[in-house]
Each structure stands twice: as structure tokens, then as C-alpha cells.
Amino acid sequence: MKHFDAIIIGTGQAGPSLAARFAGAGKSVAIIERHKFGGTCVNTGCIPTKTLVASAYAAHVARRGDEYGFAAGDVRVDMKRVKARKDAVSGRSNKGVEEWLLGLENCTVIQGHARFQSPRTIVVNDEILEADKIFINVGGRASVPAMPGIPDVPFLTNSSMMEVDFLPEHLVVVGGSYVGLEFGQMYRRFGSEVTIVEKGPHLIGREDEDVSQAVREILEAEGIRFRLNAKCISLLKQGSQIGVGVDCEGGAPEVLGTHVLLAVGRTPNTHDLGLERAGVTTDDRGYLLVDDQLQTNVPGIWALGDCNGRGAFTHTSYNDYEIVADNLFNADHRRVSDRLTAYALYTDPPLGRCGMTDAEIRKSGCRALTTKYPMSRVSRAVEKGETQGFMKITVHAETKQILGAAILGTGGDEVIHVLLDVMYANAPYTVIQRAMHIHPTVAEYLPTVLSKLEPFV
Ligand SMILES: Cc1cc2nc3c(=O)[nH]c(=O)nc-3n(C[C@H](O)[C@H](O)[C@H](O)COP(=O)(O)OP(=O)(O)OC[C@H]3O[C@@H](n4cnc5c(N)ncnc54)[C@H](O)[C@@H]3O)c2cc1C
């Protein structure tokens, strides 16, 4: 049996940095990966999708050439070249993680599927490894719900979409949330017909209704069709096409497409870890139960990243690493509950979000002030010809602290950090109004937006 100071399962967004931290401190560490180095973000998530979003954006701007004073002719997308660009960007990151890990002194890199044999031992490739500290960073995969037709009808997920090097004639996206909307807009811009089927009454159901409605209008203006309230979704092969049964309140009971993408959430990779042999518990959806410092119910075993259900983003997984590492190495008692909600939806224009939603603010019962400002009045947006969306900020009426914000508009994914950092500083929003900002930017409008606060209802 080989002994290590630490064993890490998975090379997602937390594992490699943690391995480097242990190795750098002169501790022996083993890191185990069963598939591709870098995990979801690098291979099938953020990096490849945002690379594809960039190709789709370029095609979209080229089609709008007339508005900017040039003629690009008939814009046709070569999906093989789009995929090759995506593969190159994603491949560089994947190689980068692998080479980084292999180059670390004190770090043993193992390719294989890891399973617990006991609370202190892991089996991989028929070998038993032992450590006092074990870190689980196994991430998740696309959920495939047991909807009628699933066993018989071919469908795509965010992973198999990475192999697509052709233009689907009509892509039906099941799921109108973050992943579904990004793929939907991207493929519409590549040239596919796109229909998005969503079982809820709104797209991106956790967002404020006005945000959801504005995103819908932006996508509809590009020719994407929506079927909301699709309570009972099923798949059926119809000759060369695929029928998606929608059981909606309005419209035909079926959408016919050539390809179906399932984008209906994620499932943690915890079912095949042998957790029962270590006594580690999960909730009923398979998420590992952790405390505020990411320890599972078994001392000496931690869970980081998507598999602990405390975040579903690259930055939350990396922040998990920082929390665990600071607690272990710096005696800095950082906690998950100290972090603020922050993320982006990478449609174009993007949505940057931080803090609470309207519903959460209402539930908190605090007295709040709010303001909403259209991007059509932001000169940077007008200059760029990208005036869709709005900025919305809500603050605490007494403390003047920012409670939540949504910036749906050009640069929204970047500008949101101005507000986020003020929130982390526990400073009142008024500091933004005393700062000198750069012109012309979207951020320079934040003081103007904040000067129009009204009671939040
Ligand atoms: C389409 C899509 C787009 C996304 N876009 C964004 C975005 O723009 N921004 C953002 O912040 N987030 C985005 N995300 C989410 C982001 O990718 C994840 O939150 C992020 O990758 C964190 O993952 P992780 O560290 O938990 O583990 P992962 O990256 O999922 O890695 C887990 C690793 O563990 C390995 N593994 C699993 N089980 C075992 C085992 N038993 N033995 C050995 N190895 C194992 C897996 O092979 C995998 O490599 C996106 C996700 C998707 C699906």
C-alpha cells in the first residue's frame, strides 16, 4: 500500500491547485483523474463554450456589417473550422493542466477511476493508496432525466456537443436555463433553426422576471423560438427527424427538429465513488454534504467543487480550493458562507449577476431602494451598437450597502465586478459615486444609475 499525505480525486477547478499547494509545502500528494485533465470547465464547459460563443458573436457582427459601414457578403459558418478553433483553445488548457501536474515535485499523477475502500484508502487501477487527508473534486455530468423516448432517440449533451462539426438544420434545446440559452443563441448565429423547450413559465427561472423577459426578447429577435410551460417533455423518432413532445398550454403538441440537445441540469459524479465504504453521506440528489469549511461528515475527507452542491461554477470550485487551503495551511478560518453570489450568463449581451435576486431581497424583509437604467442610454453601448438590456441595482435603504445587481448588457460580465468588490469591501454604494471612472465605459454610468434609486416594492 502506498502512503501519501493527501489524495485528491479529480482534476477539476479545485484539485490541481490543491495538489500544487500540498506539493509546494513539501507534502506528498497523489492526484487521480479518470478522464481528461482539467475536468468540465476546460474540456466541455466554460472554455470551449465561450470559445464557440466568440465564433458565433463574430458571425453575428459580420452579418450586421451594413450597420457598421462594411459589406461582409453572405456570411456562412464553417463548423469544422469553428470546432478546430475551439479544440485548439480547449486543448491548450487541457495540456497545460496535465503538464503542470506532471511537473510538480512531490506529486504523483494517476490516470484511472478512484473508489474508496475505507475512510483512509482509495483503490485505483487495482492499487491501494492511503492518506490521512482525502479531497473529492469529482464534479458532475449532464443530467439525463427518465423522460419518455430517451432510450430510443439519439440526443446531445454539453459533452457530445463538443464533437459536433456540422450545422444541425433544426436544433431543439430541451432546457431554457444557462447552458441551453448559451448553446441556443450560438447555434442560431451559426445558422441553425433553434427552438428552446422549457418546462417552467420563464426562461432562467431563478432570475428576476424582468431579466428573464428581456433575455427572451433578445433571443426571439434573433429568430429563436420558445415553448414554455412544457410540462411533460418526451422524445420520439419521426423518420429522419426527432419529435419533441411538449404538452404546452399553447401551440402544437410537438416540435420537430433534426437534433436534440438536453440541457436540463447537472448530476454530481458521486454514485461510483464507493462512498458507502468510507461512510461519507450525500443528500438525496447525490451532492456530498459538507460543513462551512467543506469537510464531509467523515473527518479527514473534504469535498470541493460542483459535487458538494455549494456552487456550480468554476469560480466557486476554485474558491472552495482557497477556503480549504487557507484553513489547512494558513490557519485562516475562511468559510463558504462568507462568499457572495456572483456569476454570468454568456448570451450576447451577457448577464452579470451578483448578490440577491428580487425574490430573495423581498424574502429578506429589509427596506430597499432600487434603480433600473436602459443600456440604450449608455454612450459606450450606443457607440458599439449594442444597446440591448439594462442595469438594475438594489441597495439597503439604511446601510446603503448593495444587496443585488443584474447587468444585462454589453460588458455586463465585467462591469458587475465594480459592484461585487464594493460588496466585499462592505462599503456603501456611495463610494462608487465619489470615484472618477474612465470614459467611455459602461461602468462610468454606475453613479448615474445609482442616483435614480426609488423604493423597492
Ligand atoms: C456547458 C457548460 C458551460 C459552463 N460555463 C461556465 C462558465 O462560463 N463559467 C463558470 O464559472 N462555470 C461554467 N460551467 C460550470 C463549470 O464548468 C464547473 O462548475 C467547473 O468545471 C467546476 O467543476 P469541478 O471543479 O467541480 O469539477 P470538474 O471540472 O467537473 O472536474 C471533475 C473531474 O473529476 C474526474 N472524476 C470524476 N469522478 C472520478 C473518479 N471516481 N476518479 C477519478 N476522477 C474522477 C472527472 O473526470 C473530471 O475531470 C459550465 C458548465 C457547463 C456544463
Side-chain angles (χ1 to χ4, degrees):
M1 186 187 312
K2 283 193 187 151
H3 182 87
F4 295 90
D5 292 316
I7 295 172
I8 298 167
I9 308 172
T11 64
Q13 293 300 308
S17 300
L18 193 59
R21 193 66 178 267
F22 269 96
K27 308 274 185 201
S28 62
V29 56
I31 186 162
I32 307 164
E33 174 53 58
R34 71 176 177 191
H35 190 42
K36 290 187 175 174
F37 288 95
T40 308
C41 180
V42 165
N43 300 292
T44 58
C46 346
I47 292 181
T49 55
K50 268 80 256 183
T51 309
L52 293 170
V53 163
S55 288
Y57 175 77
H60 177 69
V61 173
R63 285 194 193 100
R64 293 178 60 202
D66 254 3
E67 293 172 46
Y68 293 93
F70 67 92
D74 182 20
V75 177
R76 275 169 202 270
V77 174
D78 179 342
M79 288 303 291
K80 288 200 165 35
R81 286 170 59 198
V82 167
K83 178 177 178 293
R85 177 174 182 273
K86 182 269 295 175
D87 287 344
V89 174
S90 170
R92 269 197 298 277
S93 292
N94 161 262
K95 219 54 230 128
V97 175
E98 180 176 4
E99 285 171 2
W100 176 37
L101 289 172
L102 289 173
L104 288 175
E105 225 178 299
N106 306 321
C107 180
T108 303
V109 181
I110 301 168
Q111 284 247 249
H113 181 103
R115 282 187 182 80
F116 281 93
Q117 195 202 45
S118 77
R120 293 285 167 273
T121 52
I122 295 289
V123 184
V124 55
N125 305 332
D126 296 327
E127 202 177 3
I128 300 175
L129 317 179
E130 185 191 42
D132 294 335
K133 294 184 175 66
I134 299 179
F135 302 90
I136 308 172
N137 178 217
V138 292
R141 60 190 184 281
S143 301
V144 179
M147 55 177 65
I150 282 286
D152 315 314
V153 179
F155 60 85
L156 294 153
T157 65
N158 72 286
S159 298
S160 48
M161 282 302 280
M162 295 300 117
E163 301 313 314
V164 172
D165 64 355
F166 58 90
L167 195 64
E169 205 179 305
H170 184 170
L171 180 67
V172 182
V173 181
V174 179
S177 202
Y178 308 91
V179 172
L181 297 188
E182 286 180 16
F183 274 112
Q185 186 182 43
M186 178 199 298
Y187 271 82
R188 179 70 193 128
R189 289 178 169 192
F190 288 153
S192 297
E193 290 287 306
V194 172
T195 304
I196 297 181
V197 176
E198 162 59 42
K199 73 172 189 307
H202 306 288
L203 299 176
I204 34 174
R206 79 172 301 280
E207 300 300 334
D208 301 337
E209 253 180 75
D210 54 351
V211 171
S212 160
Q213 183 58 28
V215 170
R216 177 178 172 170
E217 284 165 16
I218 288 165
L219 298 179
E220 265 174 350
E222 292 190 22
I224 295 176
R225 287 189 291 267
F226 291 99
R227 297 297 299 273
L228 303 180
N229 289 308
K231 297 276 179 286
C232 182
I233 301 171
S234 58
L235 305 186
L236 191 69
K237 194 99 185 76
Q238 304 245 337
S240 64
Q241 298 212 307
I242 298 170
V244 178
V246 285
D247 189 19
C248 287
E249 277 161 18
E254 198 169 59
V255 176
L256 277 185
T258 53
H259 296 80
V260 172
L261 164 63
L262 282 189
V264 289
R266 308 276 300 163
T267 302
N269 291 324
T270 52
H271 64 295
D272 51 5
L273 263 177
L275 291 175
E276 61 292 346
R277 287 193 286 274
V280 177
T281 50
T282 66
D283 68 10
D284 54 4
R285 293 186 303 156
Y287 288 102
L288 291 153
L289 295 168
V290 288
D291 65 15
D292 216 10
Q293 297 187 334
L294 301 167
Q295 290 220 55
T296 65
N297 62 307
V298 176
I301 303 180
W302 287 255
L304 300 86
D306 288 9
C307 66
N308 65 26
R310 303 291 290 270
F313 299 100
T314 281
H315 45 277
T316 48
S317 179
Y318 187 78
N319 187 243
D320 283 358
Y321 145 68
E322 292 180 315
I323 290 168
V324 168
D326 272 348
N327 278 299
L328 289 176
F329 292 98
N330 299 340
D332 181 355
H333 300 298
R334 287 177 68 173
R335 294 171 308 179
V336 183
S337 54
D338 290 337
R339 75 179 169 217
L340 299 165
T341 301
Y343 57 88
L345 160 69
Y346 288 92
T347 48
D348 172 40
L351 167 70
R353 276 271 302 108
C354 69
M356 293 190 274
T357 60
D358 284 355
E360 288 164 341
I361 293 169
R362 222 165 271 131
K363 201 169 155 207
S364 78
C366 69
R367 207 158 67 78
L369 301 171
T370 193
T371 170
K372 194 164 154 184
Y373 197 84
M375 293 300 289
S376 56
R377 288 170 62 189
V378 173
S379 59
R380 179 76 174 135
V382 174
E383 290 147 13
K384 290 173 81 178
E386 297 182 352
T387 54
Q388 291 166 314
F390 56 79
M391 295 190 248
K392 183 168 69 168
I393 309 171
T394 306
V395 304
H396 195 288
E398 281 103 42
T399 65
K400 296 191 176 9
Q401 290 192 335
I402 298 164
L403 296 171
I407 301 188
L408 173 65
T410 185
D413 51 331
E414 300 287 349
V415 179
I416 198 75
H417 288 90
V418 176
L419 303 168
L420 184 62
D421 288 346
V422 169
M423 288 170 82
Y424 270 112
N426 277 323
Y429 73 82
T430 45
V431 296
I432 297 173
Q433 293 176 307
R434 294 181 68 87
M436 184 191 77
H437 294 107
I438 296 166
H439 174 77
T441 58
V442 176
E444 72 173 332
Y445 273 78
L446 291 174
T448 309
V449 179
L450 285 162
S451 70
K452 298 180 187 311
L453 287 163
E454 289 175 357
F456 173 85
V457 277

